[in-house]
Amino acid sequence: MLFVPQRFLCLGIRTQLLKTVSSLRSFRFSALATMASKHKNAKRIEGLDSNVWVEFTKVAADPSIVNLGQGLPDISPPSYVKEELAKAAAVDRLNQYTRGFGHPALVKVLSQVYEKICGRKIDPYTDILVTVGGYGSLFSAMQALIEEGDEVIIIEPFYDCYEPMVKMAGAKPVFIPLRDKKAGNSASSADWVLDPTELASKFNSKTKAIILNTPHNPIGKVYTKEELQLIADLCIKHDSLCISDEVYEWLVYTGNKHIKIATLPGMWERTVTIGSAGKTYSVTGWKLGWSIGPQHLIKHLQVVQQNTLYTCSTPLQEALAQAFLIDFKRMDDPDCYFYSLSRELEGKRNRMAQLLQEVGLKPVIPDGGYFMIVDVSALDVDLSDMVEDRPYDYKFVTWMIKSKKLSAIPLTAFCGLETKEQFEKYIRFCFIKQDSTLDAAEMILKKWSKQTA
Amino acid sequence: MMAQLTGNCNEMEAKMSRPVQAQRLEGLDKNVWVEFVKLAATYPTVNLGQGFPDFSPPDFVKEAFVKAVSGENAMLHQYTRVFGHPALVTILARFFGKLLGQDIDPLTNVMVTVGAYEALFCCFQALVDSGDEVIIIEPYFDCYEPMVKMAGGTPVFIPLRPKTPAPGKLMSSGDWQLDPAELASKFTRRTKAIVLNSPNNPLGKVFSKKEMEIIADLCVKHDVLCFSDEVYEWLVYDGKKHIRIASLPGMWDRTITIGSAGKTFSATGWKVGWMFGPDHLVKHLRTVHQNCVYHCPTAAQEAVAQGFQREFEHYGKPESYFVQLPQELQQKRDRLVQSLLAVGMKPIIPEGTYFLIADLSDFKAEVPNLPDCEEPYDSRFIKWMIKNKGLAAIPVSAFYSTAQKRNFDHLIRFCFVKEEATLKAAEDILQQWKLKKTGP
């Protein structure tokens, strides 16, 4: 309400002011109405605000909780990796911008490492993009190649960001679950398989891409050549792309081999393969990843990069390049970190499995990666007093964090709405943890099993 | 069977005839930096082109970084909080809260990004939709336009217009001004946001309080958001003051303020940036961020936090880096101005940033005017200068919309955040050039 000063006694002016007051009032009402819409979010992020990690990392940040939830190594990265970063930080030029699509030293060594593995020439400047973690590569690939009208096949359970990223790109996620061929009795990640007919039925003329994750998070499945061939055949038949998330590529355990789908006939030209420094060198906080593929695809990811963040950190890329050079030179040597880390983790995997088995649980032993899922329904924990409408595993993990001081991640965080019932009895543990952490987990689990006995 | 095969063939053809890339990338493939950074790296040049210091970040931040990566806390090599390392968002909230006289909550009002670039990206992706208009003041940091377009928005341009300086005075970035009536005419009911960049890259303009108030009034009147790119906030000269538009009445609730460790601490390669603003807007940027890069690297955030802590303690004092750096840069600016004047290029004195625009209109150049040539004059001039004089700069037409490029194609941008030796080398090249033209 505007205060009308005494001095405006002339009727004409008062009328004018009154008109002004009322029009201001109606302006304010319409302004409020539009304000609601003007400050509203863009449609592309509608419904994408919740995130399992933001929720559970907050809860597990309490240092009294034994954290086997988020995929966060608490083991130290190899010392030479840290040393290279300290060295890089001391060089003036390395504290300034480098090449947008990837620091020359890094893309060169990446091309060398992957040429050796793939058995084909990889141009460091046109076939590689360095991104902010594997996450950044996934985002760049989706923004570059996926749009409204497209369908993208996602295999469940899936690393949770795939679905919101597909949606943010305006496309429709089409889910297909891995199914336990032992019907609830699985003991190995290899038991979880795709049904070929079911998979074929998901492909159609709108299928722009399928997202493959091998070794798989959360189950730890390492796809066999036959399984990859099945997927490859469908990609070729329907002229679909393959976004292959291979961040755990080095972490495969005895009896298993990581195969790159891009090396299968007809696949190089339609595949973007993603890798991660965080998983390779146990430096998740470096947030460096890369996309490798044919120029005609990578060039579009590069366009996304130049319009999103332009370039990644220079000293980190330089340090990573130096570390890669060290390990490239010993790629035929068992001491190479790519293999030594895998051996170390296999030991931890076995220990984790044993701990869970000793308390009467049946873990699904992973063939790769550093996660293990386990069916907790056998513990028959009464969660009826938890009223919120959430799947069983969410409630279980929340309860377990609170009452057992042990954290994990609920498996339904990794599936679409339709399959929640299938997966809600599983939780995921991360075992890339130092011995003292696993010791603490052991104590909790032993105590727990004594209580339930 | 045949029908099925034919069906598949048609499907394949349809797919193959469509481009593989998404439509959102339409027209976004060119990039001035990709082109000119490559050129400057290909030829031996004294590089006054891309904006980065060729000297070291200050010791206290370098040491903080080395400490963070080689210290006992190995967890600094692992993921930190998604929306910003706690130590960093805490000090940013405290530091800028004090400057703005605003209560800033580190967890809900601040977010750390991969450079200011990602903060800008998040603004557009979070808040700009198809059909939205975004006002961009020309000349502008080139990424604003493609980012608006990638978000499906429509850029609406308004140029800063140069006024003739007072007689005997050199033109200053302050002589370039917005026409208030023209600005007002750009606001429509579809206007979602205006991008403000002060101090301005490439011109160096530091918007005055009065100029900001004009913009603020229009934002409030039309309920428009403001994306305020303030990466050069510390680099203001001649006693000028950097005004934060978020501190003006009615503006906190509608403004995202963006900053950069790269510019603040002369460490562009760290790619640590941030933004702050009201939670009801920042929450949408959080959604984009968590679906885009998710975390930012940890160690550099820790180092930047230490840097800010130190500056908080020394704020306003002579030993503050935020006091010393602009003092140092003002001298470099003045020196470059003299070098350019001496050869007949007309510098426009920047009130801020570490960029300086030189007008080539009266410069008798070896590069001829080719009115029918598609490539702007300044771009051709610089390519020639790189190859023949070994001196790199950036064409100012790159900072203009397609409609305006022709009107501003005799301007080139020099970057002067360079060490003495570099500026001396540039000076020598310019002197040699002059001698060659005019004779001994």
Side-chain angles (χ1 to χ4, degrees), chain A residues 62-289:
Chain A
D62 176 347
S64 71
I65 294 172
V66 177
N67 190 359
L68 300 190
Q70 189 188 12
L72 190 74
D74 65 5
I75 62 172
S76 182
S79 51
Y80 59 91
V81 169
K82 293 190 286 183
E83 278 155 23
E84 288 301 335
L85 184 54
K87 261 165 51 188
V91 178
D92 287 359
R93 183 64 186 87
L94 294 175
N95 286 298
Q96 309 303 336
Y97 290 132
T98 184
R99 179 176 166 270
F101 305 142
H103 188 53
L106 178 56
V107 293
K108 281 189 203 138
V109 70
L110 285 171
S111 76
Q112 287 176 294
V113 169
Y114 287 101
E115 271 177 359
K116 193 177 161 104
I117 299 170
C118 297
R120 67 144 55 221
K121 192 99 188 52
I122 298 175
D123 183 300
Y125 301 111
T126 60
D127 301 346
I128 302 181
L129 174 68
V130 175
T131 56
V132 177
Y135 218 94
S137 272
L138 287 161
F139 183 75
S140 299
M142 305 244 203
Q143 287 288 308
L145 304 167
I146 310 293
E147 61 187 336
E148 202 176 313
D150 290 338
E151 290 182 7
V152 178
I153 298 174
I154 298 176
I155 300 165
E156 301 176 284
F158 52 90
Y159 181 58
D160 72 298
C161 80
Y162 300 162
E163 182 185 1
M165 282 190 184
V166 167
K167 286 179 166 166
M168 194 170 154
K172 179 177 166 208
V174 170
F175 300 103
I176 175 169
L178 284 164
R179 295 183 186 280
D180 175 6
K181 67 183 186 200
K182 299 262 169 74
N185 234 1
S186 105
S188 158
S189 61
D191 296 331
W192 292 77
V193 297
L194 290 171
D195 179 313
T197 316
E198 191 182 9
L199 180 62
S201 76
K202 302 290 178 177
F203 278 79
N204 60 48
S205 59
K206 294 205 189 90
T207 309
K208 189 70 186 277
I210 179 169
I211 302 174
L212 174 68
N213 177 216
T214 180
H216 180 267
N217 174 11
I219 295 182
K221 177 184 177 60
V222 175
Y223 285 70
T224 63
K225 187 152 194 220
E226 293 69 34
E227 289 173 314
L228 293 176
Q229 194 61 63
L230 201 74
I231 295 171
D233 288 344
L234 286 162
C235 284
I236 292 167
K237 178 176 174 186
H238 295 270
D239 192 27
S240 302
L241 303 173
C242 180
I243 298 172
S244 188
D245 177 353
E246 301 181 12
V247 296
Y248 301 102
E249 59 188 306
W250 307 110
L251 308 180
V252 283
Y253 306 125
T254 313
N256 296 278
K257 191 173 188 298
H258 173 67
I259 298 168
K260 290 181 163 305
I261 197 170
T263 58
L264 270 51
M267 289 306 286
W268 169 259
E269 55 258 40
R270 60 184 68 254
T271 307
V272 174
T273 306
I274 294 170
S276 156
K279 318 300 185 202
T280 301
Y281 283 109
S282 311
V283 285
T284 59
W286 284 30
K287 287 293 295 191
L288 280 177

Side-chain angles (χ1 to χ4, degrees), chain B residues 163-174:
Chain B
K163 290 179 158 48
T164 320
K169 284 199 99 180
L170 287 168
M171 182 172 269
S172 151
S173 57

Side-chain angles (χ1 to χ4, degrees), chain A residues 38 42 44 53 96 208 238, chain B residues 15 20 126 151 192 268 294:
Chain A
K38 285 261 181 119
R44 69 180 59 81
W53 309 111
Q96 309 303 336
K208 189 70 186 277
H238 295 270
Chain B
K15 233 199 225 126
V20 70
K192 188 73 186 278
T268 59
Y294 189 47

Side-chain angles (χ1 to χ4, degrees), chain B residues 415-430:
Chain B
C415 171
F416 54 87
V417 64
K418 306 289 177 184
E419 56 180 9
E420 278 308 293
T422 312
L423 294 173
K424 173 86 178 47
E427 201 171 74
D428 290 342
I429 289 172
L430 290 166

